[in-house]
Structures are given as structure tokens and as C-alpha cells.
Amino acid sequence: MNRRLLGWIIGAPVMTLAVAGCGTHAANVSAPHHTAHHHSGGSAPASSPSVSPSVSTSVSTSTSTSTAQSVPVSNNPNPQPVLSTAPSGGGVGNTTGIRASVNKVTAEGTVSVGSATDNLYLVNMTLKNVTTSMIPFALSDVVVAANNASSSRNDYSMKGITQQNSLFPYPIVPSHAQAVVVMVQSNQTVSGDFTVEVAKASRYSVWISGMSSPIASFTP
């Protein structure tokens, strides 16, 4: 057997494996704005923080893998946050679609995010659909702003969240927040909890997509 033929036979499996590997990569999915790390800086816009619009139906995320990692959470010895609410108004859907309100904010401790230490809060919220149509509300439609940030890390930690009290249906994939959707039926109200990891600040504000002012604020 000549050397050229022997070299081709030895090299063939390597080429075959390389070609086969090309088909195993998941499609590149652009991460919604919600997942941008809030330490990245930038000034808050004059109106509401920038959040991606909700989707009309739940989107399958079976081909995507969450980048969220389990992180150690330490208990917070500080007093519970002081909540100030504003009159609930229109938000997602249209100017009078979803009436959103924050009922309670609970300090759940701190969490390590890279080299930073963030505060972790459990937020209880009520959504009321005042229209005659069903309205989807996505995980990316709510932002807790700290230090002029325009995004927040919602439901990256599941501390205090169960399948029974979660505002959003399981399984939750926070890195694809637009696809994590609770459907609010016509003239119905849903309530539940979500968590948020936010940079340490003296005051936080809660924004809903489509609104020009926050629906609530709280201080640590």
C-alpha cells in the first residue's frame, strides 16, 4: 500500500468527526436585554428602563441551555426593605392593558456575581388584565433598577421561589427571559413572586415595560 493511500485512510476518521461535530452546536440565540449584567454601567433613560417586548406565546427553550449557575447565598441580617407604591397604571399590551402592583419586597441576603456582591430580593407582584383579551407578561417585562441601571437579573436565584408561589411558570430559564411568560386572562388577576439580584444601592425602583414611571420603589 503506497504512502498516499495510507495517509488518506488514517486521516479520514478525523475529517469525519470534524464534520459531524459541526451539526451539534445550538443555534446562536441573542440574549434578551434582561440578561445584561447590571454592573455594565450606562445611564438610565429619561423614561422607563429599556426592556424587550413580551412575546405573544410561550416560546420553547428546549434547544437552549441556561447559563445561570447555582451560587451561594448568604442570609441578610439587615432590616426588611421599606416599600413605597405608586398608583398602578397601564403597561404591557397597551396603555391600559396590565395593571401591575408590588405587594411586598423581602430581603433574601446577598449573592456573589463574578467579583461583585449583589443584594437578593424576593418581590411579590400582582398583575391585573383589565382588557377583553389575554395578555402575555414576560420575565423581561419587569425591571428593578439600581444605581441607574436599565436591566436586572430576575429569577437567577430561586431562593424563596417554589412552583406554587412563582409568578412565572416552571421551568424558568432566566437567560431567555422573553420566553418565560405568564398568560394573564381577560379580566383576571394573577399574583406571585420572583427574585431579583441587584447591585447594592440606597434605593431601588420597579418598572414595567410600556410605563413612563416606576410602579414602586423600596429602600434596603
Side-chain angles (χ1 to χ4, degrees):
M1 183 180 295
N2 62 46
R3 293 183 178 178
R4 291 184 61 188
L5 178 57
L6 179 60
W8 183 89
I9 292 174
I10 294 174
V14 177
M15 294 176 61
T16 302
L17 289 175
V19 171
C22 294
T24 62
H25 293 288
N28 184 21
V29 180
S30 297
H33 181 76
H34 163 84
T35 61
H37 199 287
H38 53 240
H39 293 311
S40 59
S43 300
S47 58
S48 63
S50 174
V51 292
S52 302
S54 62
V55 292
S56 58
T57 57
S58 297
V59 179
S60 172
T61 58
S62 59
T63 59
S64 301
T65 302
S66 170
T67 57
Q69 299 293 327
S70 297
V71 290
V73 177
S74 60
N75 292 328
N76 192 343
N78 296 328
Q80 292 303 307
V82 177
L83 175 66
S84 299
T85 59
S88 58
V92 177
N94 53 57
T95 56
T96 59
I98 291 285
R99 301 289 178 89
S101 57
V102 176
N103 307 311
K104 184 179 180 180
V105 179
T106 305
E108 291 288 350
T110 58
V111 59
S112 297
V113 180
S115 59
T117 300
D118 288 355
N119 287 335
L120 176 65
Y121 294 101
L122 182 70
V123 182
N124 181 269
M125 177 179 287
T126 295
L127 306 172
K128 182 177 181 180
N129 182 351
V130 296
T131 74
T132 57
S133 302
M134 180 174 60
I135 297 179
F137 187 90
L139 186 60
S140 58
D141 284 327
V142 56
V143 169
V144 178
N147 297 335
N148 294 325
S150 58
S151 64
S152 58
R153 291 168 61 90
N154 299 346
D155 274 343
Y156 269 77
S157 171
M158 292 289 99
K159 184 175 182 182
I161 296 290
T162 67
Q163 189 168 3
Q164 287 68 41
N165 71 2
S166 177
L167 179 62
F168 298 94
Y170 276 65
I172 296 175
V173 184
S175 58
H176 295 280
Q178 285 180 294
V180 181
V181 177
V182 56
M183 307 301 292
V184 188
Q185 302 293 329
S186 171
N187 296 313
Q188 297 295 312
T189 298
V190 297
S191 296
D193 299 320
F194 68 94
T195 65
V196 60
E197 299 173 17
V198 282
K200 292 183 177 181
S202 59
R203 189 177 185 85
Y204 302 97
S205 55
V206 183
W207 298 78
I208 299 297
S209 177
M211 297 189 67
S212 59
S213 60
I215 63 170
S217 62
F218 62 92
T219 56

